[in-house]
Amino acid sequence: MADVSLKEAALIVGVVAACYWNSLFCGFVFDDVSAILDNKDLHPSTPLKNLFQNDFWGTPMSEERSHKSYRPLTVLTFRLNYLFSELNAVSYHFLNLVFHVVVCIVFLKVCKLFLDNRSSIVASLLFAVHPIHTEAVTGVVGRAELLSSIFFLAAFLSYTKSKGPDNTIVWTPIAVTVFLVAVATLCKEQGITVVGICCVYEVFIAQGYTFPALLDTAIQILRGKGSIPFSMLQTLLKLIVLMFSTLLLVVVRVQVIQSQLPVFTRFDNPAAVSPSPARQLTFNYLLPVNAWLLLNPSELCCDWTMGTIPLVESLLDVRNVATLTFFCFLGSLMVFSLRYPGDSSKTVLMALCLIVLPFIPASNLFFPVGFVVAERVLYVPSMGFCILVAHGWKKLSNKSVLRKISWVCLAAVLFTHALKTLHRNWDWESEYTLFMSALKVNKNNAKLWNNVGHALENEKNFERALQFFIQATQVQPDDIGAHMNVGRTYKNLNKTKEAEESYMIAKSLMPQIIPGKKYAARVAPNHLNVYINLANLIRANESRLEEADQLYRQAISMRPDFKQAYISRGELLLKMNKPLKAKEAYLRALELDRTNADLWYNLAIVYIELKDPTEALKNFNRALELNPTHKLALFNSALLMQESGDARLRPEAKQRLLHYVKEEPQDSNGYFNLGMLAMDDKKDVEAEAWMKKAIKLQPNFRSALFNLALLYSQTGKELMALPVLEDLLRYYPDHTKGLILKGDILMNQKKDIVGAKTCFEKILELDPNNVQGKHNLCVVYFEEKDLIKAEKCLVETLALAPHEEYIQRHLNIVRSKIASLGAVEQSSLPSDGTAATEAKKKSFQNLKEAKREKTTTQSTADNKDHSKNKKPTEKSSVDKETPKKSTKEIKDIEKKRVAALKRLEEIERILNGE
């Protein structure tokens, strides 16, 4: 076995780099979105065992919607990429490029087994630059092909060393081969086909048999005229070991997919669900189509599903000529390679094996696949094609007449292929460029129109996206997904009527429900989303909630394992105020998937509605066990702990909020609730810092502004509260508690009676029946020494709240002062009016004391707003002779009132979604 020299390896590296350097500038497109961006198996927080339980796209293999593509080792390399660079596409593309280089070098080593050195290099270079490989190399998900090919070729090279001196068996290379076959299969399913290539190599290359020789030997043995040669027995033993190992791998693979084939729709592979003879004729016609792509890769397309290749429905279809020609050519090559001995026959035979055997899993011969043509599955078959071309070139170049022209043709092919590959890479730059390039090749594929629409939709260009979605429905009128896309886009454009009409069309295309009929094998899981989307649309109308529920139940009746239907129905039932039924829906969904953190979170919300905070917290914790970074669970469980009033839970609540703000550093709610926790713990400086952080992120944060002002007023910094209240009232002029607090500070600290009066009058403009605002305005009249107006005001206030004893008491005080002042005026009045002034002063003091009693004992039930505190509107100076509560009593009452008001503010903030 010839080794690859350093110069040859450097040549291949240089050629691959020249062809694929621009792939580093491409993003994640097409299937990359599902396999990379949406695949949780890449995240370090996901247990490694999940890679071996889920399919290539991160869907559990046990679920019917799984594609059953089991490639855990490929996903593991994606995970390593994510570990080093997260979702930086450059690293993913670079690793693909490196793997392609490795494949080319190993392929060169394989070529040297059957070709001379020069022809081997030609085959390897042609493989390196062939444009058909852009999907496998530039598309990140094509890594499955690359990795599988590396171990595929390595397994074959290992097997070629299993023949020892005197035709003895060397078992170590065979054991290594079996191991490498298993690894190749764990990268992609077609890796197992290398066993067939090893068997052909053993019989026709290593042992040198020809088909006629084998046939003669078999006839002689059957006639009893001879025995099986020892060398043939050894060959049979090796083949038995290989086949037994293959059978074992197949059994394991079947167990992994739980004996279930994936469900594909007629749009994915129309021929697979077509009747005879259209199915057979179309599948056979696809073989020359694939061969033509290898021979002339001028028109490449990322998606060949749906109507790209019309069905061959009749024997009279002219395309059958291409099928017949292909089989005639392939048959002649097989006859030549199997019948005649010699190096040329062996080379052709191995080339045919590399073309045919790896393609069998994608040929629809044994099971249907989810595509019509896929360029990436030609990655390994193209190796055999390149060997055939290099072998034919060798034959031509050895003839003196054709030597120069053969070199010219070779140079032209390599150059044009390299140029095409370089240009084709740019198509994979973005989803829009990729699908637009595909539409240039094929305009009969509705999926391509849909995908361009999706690309525009992701850019929020809904108007243009709608045009492409509508075109998709015209190309394929029975495409359920296209009508769903139209409906969704209309919804994004706030055209609910048109959206509903489109969803209804999609729904009409679904199979009709028949009692007792199982639909799992007929209905694609994605198509069932039409019920979810339609229900989500109409449930915005409160009068149609029952209709929406009926749609969810209809989806569940068609697929009892449709998890999303249970989740959406649970949300609806909560909206319908049916928490017990919502609980049942979520528990049913958890039976289908107990590892879904979102489901545990939703169940926790149900328990909150059921007023069972203990169970709610347990379910929040379960969600966080499955996903420690679940943002909503972190935030809401912290709120639940905070609302419990249990001081022992505050440290954990704080830790969860700190974790939350780490995950969501731009969400002001996290900082606000950290501030509230700090206020509960009497950590005023810390609370101030958190509140300021929340306001910095959201300057109009209502609750944060008020509570910061409240914090200042509680800590003797009333004057610092005023600018904060100004900001609050600028954004929310009708904030009643803010007006009350501002009026209190203006009257007590700034001695600004006019400003305070303006605040209280504003409250009454907003709510003429606001008892507290009305009462505080009465106090202002009293401060202005207008007893008559104060009396009238208090009478009106008492009419609003006739059961409030403090108002009646204050009214009595005012009336008594009015009476006493009248008596003084009727007696001898001092010329300077000193007596009257003193009498008025005492009356003011008595009223203020009565007001103090009111404001320190008033029930917090009067506080309808979400404020944390309300300062009493009283002056700091108090007549020493006036009876009053002890300082300790006042402080105790004030503390209780502040805590209660604070809790009211937090509850309303949550209810209002602030």
Side-chain angles (χ1 to χ4, degrees):
M1 185 186 301
D3 291 327
V4 177
S5 69
L6 186 60
K7 288 183 180 180
E8 291 168 342
L11 175 63
I12 290 174
V13 171
V15 170
V16 171
C19 289
Y20 287 99
W21 63 268
N22 57 340
S23 68
L24 300 179
F25 299 96
C26 297
F28 295 115
V29 297
F30 203 16
D31 290 339
D32 298 346
V33 176
S34 300
I36 307 296
L37 300 184
D38 299 339
N39 193 346
K40 294 181 180 180
D41 287 348
L42 272 63
H43 301 169
S45 58
T46 303
L48 275 174
K49 66 177 182 179
N50 284 24
L51 273 65
F52 296 90
Q53 296 173 346
N54 299 342
D55 67 11
F56 187 54
W57 317 98
T59 305
M61 296 291 290
S62 57
E63 292 191 11
E64 193 277 332
R65 64 189 178 95
S66 169
H67 281 207
K68 312 300 180 186
S69 47
Y70 189 64
R71 305 161 191 173
L73 296 186
T74 303
V75 179
L76 182 61
T77 65
F78 292 151
R79 185 169 173 135
L80 292 174
N81 270 121
Y82 188 92
L83 182 64
F84 288 105
S85 63
E86 294 193 351
L87 295 176
N88 182 0
V90 175
S91 70
Y92 293 80
H93 287 293
F94 178 75
L95 196 54
N96 271 26
L97 194 152
V98 170
F99 286 145
H100 184 52
V101 169
V102 174
V103 173
C104 292
I105 293 174
V106 179
F107 176 58
L108 175 58
K109 196 176 182 67
V110 171
C111 289
K112 291 188 175 185
L113 294 173
F114 315 109
L115 298 169
D116 59 32
N117 195 60
R118 187 173 62 182
S119 301
S120 298
I121 294 174
V122 168
S124 184
L125 289 177
L126 182 58
F127 178 81
V129 303
H130 203 296
I132 202 72
H133 299 155
T134 50
E135 184 171 343
V137 181
T138 309
V140 177
V141 295
R143 185 177 300 177
E145 258 73 30
L146 305 176
L147 283 173
S148 180
S149 298
I150 291 173
F151 296 107
F152 180 101
L153 296 175
F156 176 69
L157 287 174
S158 175
Y159 187 79
T160 59
K161 299 177 182 178
S162 64
K163 182 180 177 181
D166 300 326
N167 207 25
T168 57
I169 301 176
V170 183
W171 289 106
T172 301
I174 295 177
V176 173
T177 297
V178 172
F179 171 76
L180 291 174
V181 169
V183 174
T185 306
L186 290 176
C187 293
K188 192 176 181 184
E189 298 78 2
Q190 68 182 24
I192 200 170
T193 60
V194 71
V195 173
I197 295 174
C198 290
C199 291
V200 173
Y201 173 84
E202 175 66 30
V203 175
F204 297 101
I205 309 300
Q207 301 301 327
Y209 294 119
T210 62
F211 186 76
L214 288 175
L215 187 60
D216 289 341
T217 303
I219 292 173
Q220 293 295 327
I221 293 172
L222 291 174
R223 289 178 177 178
K225 296 181 178 181
S227 60
I228 301 176
F230 180 73
S231 60
M232 188 173 289
L233 287 174
Q234 287 185 310
T235 301
L236 286 173
L237 180 60
K238 293 170 73 174
L239 295 181
I240 289 171
V241 171
L242 281 178
M243 297 309 295
F244 178 79
S245 303
T246 304
L247 182 61
L248 184 62
L249 287 174
V250 170
V251 170
V252 172
R253 184 68 174 83
V254 170
Q255 289 297 316
V256 166
I257 66 173
Q258 300 183 1
S259 303
Q260 294 178 344
L261 290 176
V263 175
F264 298 115
T265 68
R266 57 192 173 88
F267 304 112
D268 297 320
N269 190 350
V273 294
S274 300
S276 300
R279 181 169 65 253
Q280 292 77 12
L281 292 174
T282 303
F283 283 156
N284 283 309
Y285 173 67
L286 293 179
L287 298 178
V289 170
N290 281 278
W292 181 250
L293 287 175
L294 289 175
L295 190 62
N296 179 29
S298 58
E299 293 186 342
L300 299 177
C301 181
C302 63
D303 194 307
W304 295 80
T305 56
M306 304 188 82
T308 303
I309 300 177
L311 296 174
V312 181
E313 299 180 295
S314 169
L315 290 171
L316 300 177
D317 194 310
V318 69
R319 290 174 292 175
N320 289 319
V321 176
T323 304
L324 186 61
T325 303
F326 170 78
F327 278 108
C328 287
F329 179 72
L330 185 65
S332 62
L333 288 178
M334 291 184 66
V335 169
F336 170 77
S337 61
L338 291 173
R339 184 171 184 179
Y340 302 104
D343 292 338
S344 182
S345 298
K346 294 178 180 179
T347 301
V348 172
L349 178 62
M350 293 310 300
L352 289 175
C353 287
L354 282 169
I355 292 173
V356 174
L357 294 179
F359 187 74
I360 287 177
S363 65
N364 291 282
L365 292 177
F366 298 106
F367 47 83
V369 294
F371 53 83
V372 178
V373 173
E375 293 166 11
R376 62 177 175 267
V377 303
L378 294 174
Y379 189 77
V380 175
S382 68
M383 295 178 184
F385 172 78
C386 292
I387 290 176
L388 275 181
V389 172
H391 183 58
W393 174 84
K394 173 188 172 184
K395 296 289 186 182
L396 292 176
S397 63
N398 286 338
K399 297 181 179 180
S400 57
V401 179
L402 301 174
R403 183 172 302 165
K404 288 185 179 180
I405 194 170
S406 66
W407 278 99
V408 171
C409 291
L410 175 64
V413 168
L414 291 175
F415 178 75
T416 55
H417 277 39
L419 201 61
K420 173 66 177 178
T421 297
L422 188 66
H423 181 267
R424 175 66 174 157
N425 288 333
W426 289 120
D427 291 340
W428 292 79
E429 184 178 10
S430 68
E431 292 208 318
Y432 180 77
T433 57
L434 178 64
F435 298 128
M436 285 301 292
S437 69
L439 280 176
K440 294 176 184 177
V441 176
N442 172 31
K443 290 182 171 58
N444 296 322
N445 187 340
K447 189 174 179 181
L448 293 176
W449 294 98
N450 281 321
N451 285 335
V452 175
H454 287 309
L456 293 168
E457 187 180 31
N458 292 336
E459 297 173 359
K460 307 299 181 185
N461 192 345
F462 298 122
E463 293 287 353
R464 282 198 66 201
L466 182 61
Q467 296 174 10
F468 282 89
F469 289 142
I470 291 175
Q471 181 62 34
T473 63
Q474 294 172 355
V475 171
Q476 189 88 35
D478 58 350
D479 182 6
I480 297 172
H483 291 287
M484 290 170 61
N485 292 335
V486 172
R488 186 181 62 255
T489 310
Y490 274 131
K491 182 182 178 183
N492 290 331
L493 291 171
N494 295 319
K495 297 181 178 180
T496 54
K497 181 181 178 181
E498 292 86 349
E500 183 173 350
E501 290 174 354
S502 297
Y503 283 140
M504 291 301 293
I505 293 173
K507 180 173 174 287
S508 68
L509 295 171
M510 295 289 290
Q512 298 302 307
I513 295 179
I514 303 173
K517 179 74 173 179
K518 185 177 180 181
Y519 288 88
R522 294 180 55 198
V523 182
N526 288 340
H527 287 171
L528 280 174
N529 284 325
V530 66
Y531 296 99
I532 306 300
N533 294 348
L534 181 57
N536 291 344
L537 179 70
I538 66 175
R539 80 186 208 183
N541 186 340
E542 295 289 338
S543 65
R544 302 181 69 183
L545 297 183
E546 289 292 344
E547 187 180 346
D549 188 36
Q550 175 64 29
L551 287 167
Y552 291 135
R553 285 185 278 124
Q554 189 173 353
I556 291 170
S557 69
M558 297 185 78
R559 287 188 66 88
D561 62 344
F562 190 22
K563 180 177 62 181
Q564 187 56 47
Y566 293 104
I567 296 173
S568 298
R569 184 168 185 249
E571 295 170 357
L572 176 67
L573 291 169
L574 275 178
K575 186 176 181 179
M576 296 170 70
N577 197 26
K578 297 179 179 179
L580 289 175
K581 288 189 176 181
K583 176 183 172 183
E584 292 176 6
Y586 287 131
L587 289 175
R588 179 69 182 94
L590 281 169
E591 290 177 10
L592 300 171
D593 183 8
R594 299 191 65 81
T595 62
N596 189 320
D598 292 335
L599 282 174
W600 292 102
Y601 169 80
N602 290 347
L603 189 58
I605 299 299
V606 171
Y607 279 113
I608 289 178
E609 292 294 324
L610 292 171
K611 296 179 172 46
D612 190 345
T614 303
E615 283 299 317
L617 189 56
K618 288 180 181 178
N619 285 282
F620 278 137
N621 292 339
R622 179 62 175 155
L624 290 171
E625 287 174 10
L626 294 168
N627 182 6
T629 61
H630 195 291
K631 298 171 187 176
L632 290 175
L634 285 169
F635 182 79
N636 287 289
S637 63
L639 283 187
L640 195 61
M641 293 176 177
Q642 186 179 356
E643 287 300 315
S644 70
D646 189 344
R648 295 171 298 177
L649 295 177
R650 287 180 192 164
E652 178 61 23
K654 182 177 180 180
Q655 290 302 314
R656 294 190 180 186
L657 286 172
L658 288 171
H659 195 170
Y660 176 78
V661 297
K662 182 180 178 181
E663 295 291 327
E664 286 287 340
Q666 298 303 312
D667 186 1
S668 56
N669 288 287
Y671 301 104
F672 169 75
N673 283 283
L674 281 166
M676 295 303 300
L677 274 175
M679 288 180 71
D680 288 342
D681 291 334
K682 309 300 181 186
K683 297 177 181 179
D684 299 331
V685 176
E686 183 180 335
E688 179 184 357
W690 290 124
M691 291 295 181
K692 285 183 175 179
K693 179 71 173 175
I695 295 169
K696 182 178 179 181
L697 290 171
Q698 186 182 339
N700 64 340
F701 196 157
R702 173 175 167 151
S703 296
L705 286 166
F706 182 81
N707 281 284
L708 180 59
L710 182 65
L711 179 65
Y712 284 143
S713 68
Q714 288 178 342
T715 54
K717 301 176 182 177
E718 288 87 349
L719 297 182
M720 293 179 66
L722 275 178
V724 181
L725 287 169
E726 293 291 345
D727 290 339
L728 172 67
L729 295 171
R730 184 172 70 254
Y731 291 115
Y732 307 100
D734 58 347
H735 195 289
T736 304
K737 298 306 175 184
L739 289 167
I740 289 176
L741 184 56
K742 181 182 177 183
D744 172 67
I745 295 173
L746 288 175
M747 187 156 59
N748 291 331
Q749 302 300 321
K750 300 281 287 186
K751 307 297 187 285
D752 183 357
I753 304 300
V754 176
K757 183 178 181 181
T758 302
C759 290
F760 300 138
E761 287 177 341
K762 176 67 174 177
I763 293 172
L764 294 179
E765 287 178 15
L766 298 169
D767 180 12
N769 296 324
N770 188 293
V771 174
Q772 190 173 0
K774 185 81 171 176
H775 179 269
N776 287 351
L777 184 61
C778 300
V779 176
V780 170
Y781 293 149
F782 194 89
E783 293 289 344
E784 292 177 336
K785 304 179 182 180
D786 191 341
L787 295 179
I788 301 301
K789 203 168 186 179
E791 179 190 21
K792 180 182 177 182
C793 178
L794 285 169
V795 169
E796 294 173 352
T797 306
L798 186 61
L800 294 174
H803 302 295
E804 292 292 349
E805 181 271 336
Y806 70 89
I807 299 176
Q808 181 65 60
R809 188 165 61 251
H810 294 176
L811 179 60
N812 293 338
I813 291 172
V814 170
R815 285 174 172 172
S816 66
K817 299 310 172 187
I818 291 174
S820 65
L821 285 174
V824 170
E825 289 175 357
Q826 291 176 6
S827 63
S828 59
L829 290 174
S831 59
D832 57 0
T834 304
T837 304
E838 289 299 322
K840 284 185 178 181
K841 181 177 180 182
K842 184 171 290 188
S843 70
F844 297 155
Q845 291 168 342
N846 288 339
L847 180 58
K848 284 184 285 183
E849 277 308 310
K851 180 179 172 295
R852 171 190 288 273
E853 182 179 319
K854 171 259 168 184
T855 54
T856 55
T857 60
Q858 183 181 356
S859 170
T860 59
D862 291 333
N863 299 321
K864 307 287 184 175
D865 193 60
H866 58 279
S867 60
K868 293 292 182 296
N869 187 23
K870 180 172 58 191
K871 296 289 283 185
T873 52
E874 61 187 11
K875 291 187 179 180
S876 57
S877 59
V878 180
D879 195 307
K880 294 182 180 179
E881 295 180 3
T882 304
K884 61 180 181 179
K885 293 181 181 291
S886 68
T887 303
K888 182 178 180 182
E889 287 176 332
I890 292 174
K891 287 183 177 180
D892 289 343
I893 293 171
E894 182 70 10
K895 285 180 180 180
K896 293 177 181 178
R897 187 172 62 84
V898 167
L901 287 173
K902 226 155 95 172
R903 188 58 52 206
L904 280 176
E905 163 70 10
E906 175 60 9
I907 292 171
E908 183 167 341
R909 190 198 70 76
I910 294 172
L911 293 175
N912 291 335
E914 294 184 7

